Each structure stands twice: as C-alpha cells, then as structure tokens.
Amino acid sequence: MASPRIIMKLTVTATRKESGDVLVIDLKHTRKPLLPPFEPGSHVDVHLPDGKVRQYSLCGDPTDLSRYTIAVKREEVGRGGSAWIHEAVAAGCMLPVSAPRNHFPLAQREGPTVLLAGGIGITPILAMARALERQGKTCELHYFTRSRALAPLLSVIERELDCNTVWLHFDDEPETRQDLETLLSTRSSDAQLYYCGPPGFMAAVDRATAHWPEGTVHFEAFQPPEQDRAPPEPFTITLRDGTVVPVAADTSALAALRAAGVLLMASCENGVCGTCECGILEGQPIHRDAVLSKDARTHRFIPCISRAAGVLRLDL
Ligand code: FES
C-alpha cells in the first residue's frame, strides 16, 4: 500500500445522493489511469479547504482502481466537514486526498466471517462483504439502521450483494429487529467478527462480544468511545534520548510533543485514524482512542487523545 503521506489531487467525477443523507463521491486521478491499491477496510484522508482533515472509508470495489468511492453522511452536530462536502463538492471539483491506509484489515483466515454495520458504518463493511463474496468465503452481514429510508447505501447492498448473506434490521420494522446479545451469544469456534457504526452501536457490540476470544473481534470507530471524562491529570513523557516533556492537564500529549520539537504526523487529532500512533517503552497509558486493538494497547499509544498516569516513556 502506498505511503499515507502522499497527497493526490483527485477530481470528483460524479456525486449522488443516497438514503440516510449520504453523498456518494467518485474520485479519479486527472493524469494517472490507476490509483494506489487498497484493501477492504481502508480509508483515505480528505483535506478540506480550512486545513481540517477528515477520514472516509473507501466503499468502492478494490479491484477497480480507476476510481475511489467514498460516502459522506451529513452530520448536523458534527465539526462542519461533512456539511461543507455536501454543500460544495460536485462533479469537476478537485479534492486533495491521501493514499489509502488500513487500520481495519480482514484477517486472512479460513472460517466464517460475521460483519455488523450500524448506519454509515456500512462503508468499510460493504467493501469487506464484496471481497469475501468474491473470494467465495462464508460471510454474513447484519445491517442495523433506524429505518429503510435512513439506511445509507441500502440500494447498493440490495443491488450488489448476495441477499442470502445479508440481514437487514430496521428499528421501525419489528419483524426485522435483532437483539445483538442474542445474535452474538454463540459463535462458530473459528469465526471472526468485524463491526463499525455510531458510538451507541459500538458500545452495544462491545458488550455483546465480551465473551468472544481475544483476536476474533475487530472494529473501526468514527468517534472515540464515550468514556469517563474525569478531568485530565498532568503527566510526563520521556523520550529515548532522555528529554522530559511535561504534559499539562489542558494539553494533549501530541501538542506537548510538538512544542518540544518532536515531529509527529497527525490527521484526525481525535483518536480515530491512527496517524499519530507511537510505541511505549515503559509506563501506564490511559487509552482514550478508538483505533488500537486490545493487544496493541499493551505497547502502542495515541498521543492526540490518550493520556498516562505518572511518567510514560515513549519510543520516540
Ligand atoms: Fe488521528 Fe491521532 S491524529 S489518531
């Protein structure tokens, strides 16, 4: 996969409105016939004119590299990026877009795959479902939304996926509703689960899979989980060369590191993209991100949002 630091100027070739207040955008390179390859679960950074960066999953076909497709849900209470995209982006526009990155890869394992999507969380899951279908692997997709009318990309799912592998669950259609605890109470011994959706959905799946073995549950979140928001405490970072970087209570570790002259890439600055990830050599992190796996939490750190107790020695 190409370096995420590459920023490409891509042209919007088409947009279309989808249910759920979603704008689907097709992007092509103006000069190159093929874009950098991507795997199901990958996302790109879209750089907005105000300098902000937003991450969007690639929901098109990974075997068609003539274009990327992203789907942007308009968030009324968001930070403004999706509203700008809905209002300003049209065919012919140019958008600066990073090369794809993947923090949500499909494990290359035999055995069945369970895919769960809540609302706009369907975007990475759709690419996964397509890939698994193409590979002839056993897969079931459960898609949860409030109603058919509010289900992003429903028409794509109905048109492109095998209806025998897709279960649609709408809150306003009692006969389709499915309780997550019941659905996930049992599992095939070799099953892998992937899920993505809004915070309430993520928390519900997390609870319902508490008994699934380590390494079998994978997720991607759009926002960090709701967590105990006790006032942050100051802490100290030490670097490999012995430099001491104090992190004040009202400053992020990322900001403190930058102020100390440490060059760290960052993108979302909200703990969801993984760009600023670095290694831990010693200490007690307080993880607040939505990107590291349980395993990675033992030795990796997300300085844009996570904190620590006492002194944290980073591999920087
Ligand atoms: Fe996105 Fe830190 S910049 S996780």
Side-chain angles (χ1 to χ4, degrees):
M1 195 165 289
S3 163
R5 290 174 174 80
I6 297 173
I7 307 292
M8 302 173 287
K9 291 183 177 173
L10 301 188
T11 301
V12 175
T13 54
T15 63
R16 70 171 194 280
K17 287 275 189 183
E18 275 277 340
S19 47
D21 212 1
V22 166
L23 185 69
V24 175
I25 302 172
D26 288 333
L27 297 150
K28 287 194 170 191
H29 202 291
T30 35
R31 287 174 289 106
K32 298 183 182 169
L34 295 181
L35 291 160
F38 69 96
E39 301 155 355
S42 298
H43 70 269
V44 290
D45 293 342
V46 175
H47 294 252
L48 305 182
D50 62 0
K52 293 188 178 131
V53 181
R54 295 287 180 273
Q55 288 73 40
Y56 294 105
S57 296
L58 291 171
C59 56
D61 184 347
T63 64
D64 176 7
L65 293 177
S66 67
R67 64 181 170 162
Y68 289 159
T69 301
I70 58 173
V72 179
K73 180 174 171 57
R74 186 183 188 114
E75 302 289 356
E76 294 305 340
V77 291
R79 293 172 290 162
S82 64
W84 180 84
I85 288 174
H86 273 245
E87 280 153 25
V89 171
C93 285
M94 190 278 295
L95 280 180
V97 174
S98 74
R101 272 181 299 160
N102 197 358
H103 292 294
F104 191 34
L106 276 172
Q108 294 305 319
R109 303 218 179 107
E110 296 310 316
T113 302
V114 181
L115 302 173
L116 304 183
I120 192 62
I122 191 63
T123 49
I125 296 292
L126 178 59
M128 290 178 165
R130 273 204 202 96
L132 291 164
E133 258 190 37
R134 185 173 294 126
Q135 293 164 17
K137 298 217 167 135
T138 308
C139 152
E140 60 184 88
L141 164 60
H142 293 266
Y143 184 25
F144 297 79
T145 67
R146 278 186 281 157
S147 67
R148 270 176 204 279
L150 294 174
L153 302 175
L154 182 57
S155 63
V156 180
I157 292 170
E158 292 181 327
R159 195 170 59 239
E160 296 186 17
L161 295 184
D162 175 358
C163 61
N164 294 316
T165 64
V166 179
W167 281 262
L168 302 170
H169 307 292
F170 303 116
D171 291 353
D172 65 350
E173 294 181 24
E175 68 282 8
T176 70
R177 275 197 222 138
Q178 169 71 62
D179 171 55
L180 281 168
E181 299 280 349
T182 309
L183 175 67
L184 300 170
S185 60
T186 56
R187 62 179 288 276
S188 311
S189 58
D190 51 355
Q192 297 282 316
L193 171 74
Y194 299 81
Y195 67 100
C196 184
F201 176 79
M202 300 301 284
V205 180
D206 185 47
R207 282 193 300 274
T209 53
H211 60 291
W212 282 51
E214 182 78 35
T216 61
V217 178
H218 316 266
F219 64 88
E220 182 169 69
F222 297 132
Q223 293 168 33
E226 298 289 320
Q227 39 207 322
D228 127 46
R229 284 293 176 192
E233 300 279 339
F235 64 102
T236 302
I237 289 172
T238 58
L239 308 180
R240 275 198 310 259
D241 66 1
T243 304
V244 176
V245 181
V247 183
D250 60 353
T251 308
S252 70
L254 176 69
L257 286 164
R258 282 177 167 168
V262 180
L263 281 181
L264 266 181
M265 292 285 291
S267 177
C268 69
E269 303 203 11
N270 195 31
V272 296
C273 76
T275 308
C276 64
E277 178 180 341
C278 54
I280 297 172
L281 297 175
E282 208 176 344
Q284 267 194 336
I286 300 170
H287 294 293
R288 289 186 167 168
D289 65 275
V291 70
L292 293 180
S293 66
K294 281 184 189 151
D295 184 38
R297 280 168 194 266
T298 59
H299 58 285
R300 307 294 292 171
F301 184 68
I302 298 293
C304 67
I305 195 162
S306 294
R307 306 195 64 83
V311 178
L312 187 69
R313 208 165 140 241
L314 291 181
D315 191 13
L316 289 172

